[in-house]
Amino acid sequence: MCNFTILQRALNQIPNFFDVTDSLPCSKKEEYSTRIPSRVDTLILHHSGSQSWTVQDVANYHVKEKGWPGIGYHFVITQNGLIFQTNKLSSQSYHCKNHNFRSIGICCLGNFELEEMNEKQEHALMMLLWTIGTNFKPINILPHKDLGPTLCPGLHFPLNASLNHYHDAVIKQSESMHLPS
């Protein structure tokens, strides 16, 4: 199962999920390249590094300060548990240098070097990971810091819980595909 359409349908069923891909600030001159699902083999986990930024703030920073075509992440999860899709899955956005062509970027708002993720945000992250794990091919999950010189997504990011939850979803999906009909 390697299809963005199937995954997108499942994402749209998540409570508190909002597709804002067409409403965020973006460059008037550039746009992200597109890619095919078979190239995607990694989920990269990020934090915003700011305790007060909103999705709009992140988009403004990426477009106006960094000069990117749009926000760098595919998903942003707020502290109150809202999941925003901020780029199409087919977009090769900029969130992890040298890995953008093959990855989906998930950013949780907050600074997890300084604070722990609250229950609502962690629950939303787990829902997103479960949905990806049960509706897309198995892929790797890595913290941003494993791929570049950064502390992102922070010391207090629930990395082990994220990995375990995603892998449970992949196992469930694999088992359901092997059930006799």
Side-chain angles (χ1 to χ4, degrees):
M1 181 175 23
C2 183
N3 186 323
F4 287 145
T5 305
I6 292 169
L7 177 55
Q8 189 64 59
R9 264 192 238 126
L11 291 166
N12 292 335
Q13 300 303 309
I14 298 175
N16 297 319
F17 179 87
F18 303 93
D19 184 340
V20 295
T21 54
D22 295 326
S23 62
L24 291 174
C26 60
S27 170
K28 300 206 185 316
K29 297 177 184 174
E30 294 183 63
E31 58 183 51
Y32 287 124
S33 301
T34 59
R35 64 198 176 173
I36 56 174
S38 61
R39 293 192 76 186
V40 175
D41 66 4
T42 307
L43 281 173
I44 300 177
L45 303 172
H46 302 266
H47 71 159
S48 63
S50 169
Q51 295 171 303
S52 61
W53 275 13
T54 65
V55 176
Q56 190 81 18
D57 294 331
V58 175
N60 281 328
Y61 174 70
H62 287 176
V63 173
K64 294 177 181 172
E65 300 296 321
K66 292 190 164 245
W68 294 353
I71 192 169
Y73 310 111
H74 293 88
F75 301 99
V76 175
I77 303 173
T78 67
Q79 291 92 337
N80 59 355
L82 303 178
I83 302 169
F84 291 96
Q85 182 169 359
T86 53
N87 265 305
K88 291 178 173 54
L89 292 164
S90 59
S91 293
Q92 183 176 309
S93 62
Y94 306 163
H95 62 92
C96 187
K97 189 174 183 178
N98 299 321
H99 298 277
N100 295 314
F101 70 96
R102 61 186 274 225
S103 61
I104 294 171
I106 300 173
C107 177
C108 293
L109 295 180
N111 185 336
F112 303 113
E113 271 301 305
L114 304 176
E115 61 188 339
E116 292 195 15
M117 187 178 290
N118 71 45
E119 192 175 313
K120 284 183 181 180
Q121 190 173 30
E122 186 171 345
H123 179 73
L125 173 62
M126 297 307 155
M127 285 177 46
L128 179 58
L129 293 173
W130 186 268
T131 302
I132 295 170
T134 56
N135 292 280
F136 196 64
K137 65 183 181 173
I139 57 180
N140 299 314
I141 298 184
L142 296 170
H144 186 194
K145 66 184 176 189
D146 282 7
L147 301 169
T150 178
L151 297 175
C152 179
L155 180 66
H156 301 294
F157 191 93
L159 185 59
N160 287 334
S162 298
L163 294 170
N164 291 337
H165 197 71
Y166 175 78
H167 288 111
D168 288 348
V170 169
I171 289 168
K172 179 178 177 14
Q173 176 61 24
S174 176
E175 289 172 351
S176 71
M177 293 182 78
H178 294 96
L179 291 176
S181 45

